[in-house]
Amino acid sequence: MRVIPIMLAGSTLWGLYWLPLRWLEQAGLGGLWALAVIYVGATATLGVLARRHWRDALAARGRLAGIALSAAVSGIAFGLGMIHGEVARVLILFYLSPVWAVLLGRVLLGERILRVTVPALVLALCGAVLMLFADAWRAGDGRGLDALLPADLLGLVAGLAFALTNVQLRAGRGLPEPLRNLATAVLAAPLAAAAALALGSPLSASPTALGVALLVGLVWMSGMISATQYGIARLPLQRSSVLLLFELIVGAVSAALLAGEALGPLELAGGACIVLAGLAVVWGRGRNA
């Protein structure tokens, strides 16, 4: 079954995504500008793949605009978190997205809340508190909300925006797949560039760095978007969600081996709570689909 290898490949690319991002940062192409160039490349590739569906795009422009906006926020927040934070922490906090998706599905689509949702939400929030305040508790300095790391907040925002994107994709499942893939990338580049300009961040990078960022978008970003959405559209919810966990494993292991990032016991306990909560929600929804 070729769907599973394709989805695992997509999850692997997402888990290793921090590598080119940090290389570009060290090469002088700042986070927002790097993301802008990467998404220009991804939009070009996905735009070519969706070129036969422009009439569908015009007919569904409102829904596609909503998908594009939430996906852009998710992609930018996730990318900045990968650059400036600990990879495993950002990925685990991002994995709160299944819980957010269930709540958003209830609000936006009128989907039924399952019995497992409330205890899963409590478990997930307990896990998030363990992860977010682990450093403060270890230091014993009594810090409150000021103990939160910016990258942690980026992971939370990315997961919430990703959940909103998935809810909108479920509502628009009748749209052609290449068009949905394009929608998840098309708005990220202009938003990232606008944010960089608003913050006064200059675009000063070598042609090599710009070329690498564009290539990452043309091949890497477009590939992992297409692979992941291909699997989600063709596999049962439970199986695709478990396969998406491979992203977390690849990211955590690669960051530990290559960047010396390791989670402490509190972070591991919090991460386990979040992952278990996400899986409980996904499996509960799958059985009642």
Side-chain angles (χ1 to χ4, degrees):
M1 188 177 186
R2 67 175 184 174
V3 180
I4 292 177
I6 289 174
M7 193 162 189
L8 285 175
S11 295
T12 300
L13 289 175
W14 279 112
L16 296 175
Y17 181 44
W18 65 275
L19 286 170
L21 287 178
R22 292 192 185 178
W23 184 91
L24 290 168
E25 178 82 5
Q26 294 171 1
L29 187 59
L32 285 168
W33 284 118
L35 292 170
V37 178
I38 286 171
Y39 275 100
V40 165
T43 300
T45 298
L46 296 173
V48 170
L49 296 176
R51 64 189 182 278
R52 298 179 180 177
H53 303 287
W54 297 124
R55 289 185 179 178
D56 297 300
L58 290 173
R61 56 186 178 275
R63 184 175 301 281
L64 290 172
I67 293 171
L69 180 58
S70 59
V73 171
S74 178
I76 293 170
F78 184 81
L80 292 176
M82 290 288 99
I83 294 171
H84 301 295
E86 294 184 13
V87 173
R89 284 173 66 98
V90 174
L91 283 172
I92 290 172
L93 291 169
F94 176 81
Y95 201 76
L96 281 166
S97 57
V99 179
W100 304 142
V102 168
L103 299 177
L104 289 170
R106 171 61 181 173
V107 173
L108 299 177
L109 303 180
E111 295 177 346
R112 186 164 59 93
I113 290 287
L114 305 176
R115 285 181 295 178
V116 72
T117 300
V118 174
L121 178 60
V122 173
L123 181 62
L125 292 177
C126 289
V129 169
L130 279 173
M131 292 206 68
L132 292 172
F133 295 99
D135 288 339
W137 289 338
R138 275 194 295 264
D141 56 10
R143 286 179 296 163
L145 292 177
D146 57 340
L148 298 179
L149 300 175
D152 294 337
L153 297 179
L154 287 169
L156 289 171
V157 169
L160 180 59
F162 182 75
L164 180 57
T165 302
N166 280 343
V167 170
Q168 294 182 91
L169 286 171
R170 286 211 305 274
R173 61 172 59 93
L175 294 171
E177 187 173 316
L179 199 57
R180 286 184 279 130
N181 291 343
L182 175 61
T184 62
V186 69
L187 200 54
L191 280 184
L197 291 171
L199 294 172
S201 177
L203 176 56
S204 55
S206 67
T208 299
L210 291 170
V212 170
L214 187 61
L215 183 62
V216 169
L218 287 167
V219 180
W220 191 313
M221 173 61 73
S222 63
M224 61 189 183
I225 288 175
S226 298
T228 303
Q229 293 301 326
Y230 180 86
I232 289 175
R234 290 163 177 80
L235 288 174
L237 182 63
Q238 301 100 319
R239 188 176 298 180
S240 64
S241 297
V242 171
L243 290 174
L244 284 174
L245 270 178
F246 195 62
E247 168 191 345
L248 199 160
I249 297 170
V250 171
V253 171
S254 62
L257 293 176
L258 301 177
E261 297 180 4
L263 297 177
L266 288 175
E267 287 93 341
L268 289 172
C273 291
I274 290 172
V275 170
L276 289 174
L279 290 176
V281 165
V282 165
W283 279 80
R285 201 174 77 201
R287 286 201 308 269
N288 288 270

